[in-house]
Amino acid sequence: MSLPHAILTALLEKPSSGLELTRRFDRSIGYFWSATHQQIYRELGKLEAEGHIRALPSPQPARGQKKSYEVLPAGRAELARWTAASQDPKPYRDTLFLRLRAAAAIGTEGVAGIEADLRRHLELHRRQLSEYEEIEQRDFPPGKDSPQDRLQHLILRAGIDLETFWTRWLTHALEEFAELPDQSR
């Protein structure tokens, strides 16, 4: 149920068209809640039907012109209700961890593929960490501390901390792999 709330949040920040929302998801919200173009348009239709958003009047009527949406009071109330509600953390699922567990159960025959994946994942997490750190330097200089800025920076810090964890864990995992007997690597 979080995609409609992500869209409501984005529209409260700035009324937007579906295409603009897709671009904003790619640049910011998508770092922690991704959605495809089709999912966003489908949700916009549902939110409009529920009376949570409305299409802004177009300055000139034209067929096929993009619609921009804004949040209505009912949408703001729904977002406030959802924000205040308690939610349990979701169980974490990762196929890499399952593959490591399987390798422990069957022996080290398949570890070469896992080791290669660990190296690939490490590079991906290093790149993501670098990108987050660049965003932090650019968007959160010292003194930028309004409540909105502080909350947005808190989200970014979570991303930085998670990527830092992953780069450390993957580095450690690769060190462990280097110590395994060289049966099939």
Side-chain angles (χ1 to χ4, degrees), residues 47-62:
L47 287 167
E48 190 173 26
E50 293 167 352
H52 290 171
I53 64 171
R54 74 174 178 131
L56 292 169
S58 176
Q60 48 190 355

Side-chain angles (χ1 to χ4, degrees), residues 132-143:
Y132 285 164
E133 289 171 339
E134 288 173 19
I135 292 169
E136 184 177 43
Q137 289 294 314
R138 182 190 69 222
D139 294 349
F140 297 100

Side-chain angles (χ1 to χ4, degrees), residues 137-159:
Q137 289 294 314
R138 182 190 69 222
D139 294 349
F140 297 100
K144 190 172 181 183
D145 61 355
S146 73
Q148 180 184 6
D149 290 331
R150 291 178 74 153
L151 291 173
Q152 288 180 348
H153 192 198
L154 186 62
I155 297 162
L156 179 60
R157 283 300 322 168

Side-chain angles (χ1 to χ4, degrees), residues 92 97 125 129 159-171:
Y92 185 72
F97 289 168
H125 285 288
L129 176 58
I160 290 170
D161 292 347
L162 284 169
E163 295 304 329
T164 299
F165 160 78
W166 280 113
T167 57
R168 286 182 182 155
W169 183 85
L170 287 160
T171 299

Side-chain angles (χ1 to χ4, degrees), residues 33-54:
W33 196 269
S34 62
T36 66
H37 188 75
Q38 293 83 6
Q39 289 170 318
I40 290 171
Y41 274 95
R42 188 170 42 248
E43 259 339 294
L44 284 170
K46 289 177 187 176
L47 287 167
E48 190 173 26
E50 293 167 352
H52 290 171
I53 64 171
R54 74 174 178 131

Side-chain angles (χ1 to χ4, degrees), residues 86-110:
S86 176
Q87 294 184 349
D88 292 335
K90 300 282 184 223
Y92 185 72
R93 297 169 50 170
D94 191 303
T95 57
L96 181 61
F97 289 168
L98 186 56
R99 289 170 59 211
L100 282 168
R101 182 71 182 251
I106 64 170
T108 57
E109 300 101 50

